Amino acid sequence: MSSPPPTPGIHHVTCIAGDPQENLDFWVETLGLRLVKRSINQDDPGTYHFFFADAEGTAGTSMTFFPWEDMRQGKVGSGQVSRTAFRVPEGSLDYWEDRFDDYGVAYEERVERFGETVLPFEDPDGLPVELVATEIPDDDPVVPWTEFVPGEHAIRGFHSVTLWIADTEPTMELLETMGFERVGREQSPDDTPGDERTRFAASGPVGKYVDVLPTIAGGRQGHGTVHHVAFQTPTDADQSAMRDAVRSRGLSPTGQIDRHWFRSVYFREHGGVLFELATKDPGYDSDEPLSDLGGSLVLPGEFESRREEIEAGLPDVTVPTSQAPDQ
């Protein structure tokens, strides 16, 4: 069997939140990401699905959330994405620590990892997140959103995800099948004491790293945990080839599912983490003008005919804006 085209890296990361307004306030105002899509969970239409990204919803920048208010608090453990890291320009971490102090965000001491400085923190639901200070090239595809955070400090899409896995070797072999390359190992006392972190790099400029750490710590899904991580398979042909490669590793990927802004294939990798393969098109601006992304509730496909019913069941939310309201 021939190898599939390698994934350029992470497409999006989807997490579980609690209160939807608190989630909006933090990710838009505190972190300065743009709400590029306000929609619903297509498998549970009584729940919002929020997409936060750069100014244009570039692949490799979107952090998405299902705010399931009645779900219990989660716990990070084996078989989960334990950390989601974002890139920020070098020299930005002082700004971010000051901002976190102003907004009451819980953060930890900086750590050094693979020659880069990392600032760990948590969102209001306890989700572990990191900012990684890194050099941003002149031709970087990310377009920073500057409504709340100045461009010289703004988040520039994903840096990496860290996977906690009990038996790491099958997962690491799968990542290589997907086109990732092992690029380094180092001790990781800041995460699971004494364990070794293995880093894999994809071919693209954004969201290119996946770190794998061995742990048998038990976890549970709930508020403050990652639901799944999606990897870029830009075209249908790329996705089909990757799906075949995944099946050759003894896994059971779904058929292609239309998610309106991309087409998806899902599977659980050997260690239990839910992976998704996502196409580039149609994109977040396929149903809203770029200038209006996130401005209204978008109900994809068949859900539009149920708008009145769906809107009645969703809590009211207000998207933060830096503009003063009309007097």
Side-chain angles (χ1 to χ4, degrees), residues 55-74:
E56 297 183 359
T58 305
T61 70
S62 55
M63 188 78 158
T64 93
F65 286 87
F66 303 137
W68 278 311
E69 295 188 80
D70 295 334
M71 186 174 281
R72 65 183 178 178
Q73 183 65 32

Side-chain angles (χ1 to χ4, degrees), residues 154-190:
I155 288 172
R156 303 300 183 93
F158 291 114
H159 176 275
S160 59
V161 292
T162 298
L163 311 181
W164 278 5
I165 304 292
D167 179 8
T168 60
E169 198 56 40
T171 297
M172 294 194 293
E173 291 174 357
L174 171 66
L175 290 171
E176 290 176 323
T177 297
M178 294 172 64
F180 286 89
E181 178 184 359
R182 300 190 197 206
V183 294
R185 290 183 179 179
E186 68 176 31
Q187 294 300 114
S188 188
D190 60 293

Side-chain angles (χ1 to χ4, degrees), residues 29-320:
E29 182 174 358
T30 305
L31 291 189
L33 295 182
R34 184 181 187 186
L35 179 69
V36 295
K37 198 61 57 181
R38 188 189 332 178
S39 190
I40 55 168
N41 182 323
Q42 294 176 43
D43 300 315
D44 179 17
T47 301
Y48 280 116
H49 193 178
F50 296 143
F51 296 72
F52 307 103
D54 74 344
E56 297 183 359
T58 305
T61 70
S62 55
M63 188 78 158
T64 93
F65 286 87
F66 303 137
W68 278 311
E69 295 188 80
D70 295 334
M71 186 174 281
R72 65 183 178 178
Q73 183 65 32
K75 179 184 177 183
V76 176
S78 181
Q80 293 186 30
V81 173
S82 66
R83 302 286 187 274
T84 303
F86 292 91
R87 304 183 307 157
V88 294
E90 289 181 332
S92 296
L93 294 185
D94 286 345
Y95 169 88
W96 281 103
E97 287 186 348
D98 290 344
R99 187 170 183 83
F100 288 167
D101 287 338
D102 290 343
Y103 279 84
V105 177
Y107 64 93
E108 301 172 21
E109 292 185 3
R110 303 179 194 184
V111 297
E112 297 296 317
R113 192 182 297 152
F114 295 107
E116 296 174 320
T117 305
V118 181
L119 177 61
F121 66 99
E122 292 184 348
D123 85 344
D125 289 295
L127 180 75
V129 193
E130 298 172 334
L131 299 179
V132 182
T134 189
E135 182 179 357
I136 307 296
D138 292 339
D139 62 349
D140 192 74
V142 176
V143 182
W145 180 242
T146 57
E147 179 86 1
F148 289 100
V149 174
E152 63 266 28
H153 302 304
I155 288 172
R156 303 300 183 93
F158 291 114
H159 176 275
S160 59
V161 292
T162 298
L163 311 181
W164 278 5
I165 304 292
D167 179 8
T168 60
E169 198 56 40
T171 297
M172 294 194 293
E173 291 174 357
L174 171 66
L175 290 171
E176 290 176 323
T177 297
M178 294 172 64
F180 286 89
E181 178 184 359
R182 300 190 197 206
V183 294
R185 290 183 179 179
E186 68 176 31
Q187 294 300 114
S188 188
D190 60 293
D191 206 334
T192 49
D195 283 337
E196 191 171 58
R197 175 186 295 264
T198 304
R199 172 156 291 181
F200 292 79
S203 59
V206 184
K208 68 183 297 178
Y209 297 116
V210 174
D211 291 355
V212 179
L213 270 165
T215 182
I216 58 172
R220 63 175 179 268
Q221 195 166 81
H223 297 165
T225 61
V226 172
H227 186 272
H228 65 269
V229 54
F231 297 97
Q232 298 180 48
T233 47
T235 70
D236 288 333
D238 295 336
Q239 187 182 78
S240 179
M242 189 70 78
R243 181 177 182 274
D244 289 344
V246 166
R247 290 189 65 182
S248 76
R249 301 291 310 172
L251 298 169
S252 300
T254 67
Q256 188 183 73
I257 299 172
D258 185 359
R259 292 306 191 192
H260 195 65
W261 307 287
F262 41 83
R263 293 174 292 279
S264 302
V265 169
Y266 300 87
F267 62 96
R268 288 204 180 271
E269 56 79 41
H270 303 85
V273 183
L274 182 59
F275 278 10
E276 177 183 347
L277 309 175
T279 61
K280 181 180 179 180
D281 294 329
Y284 298 127
D285 60 353
S286 61
D287 53 8
E288 291 180 296
L290 187 61
S291 60
D292 294 336
L293 292 181
S296 60
L297 180 70
V298 174
L299 298 178
E302 64 190 48
F303 296 106
E304 180 58 44
S305 64
R306 299 170 53 192
R307 177 172 288 274
E308 184 175 353
E309 166 202 348
I310 290 171
E311 287 185 335
L314 293 170
D316 291 334
V317 293
T318 301
V319 181

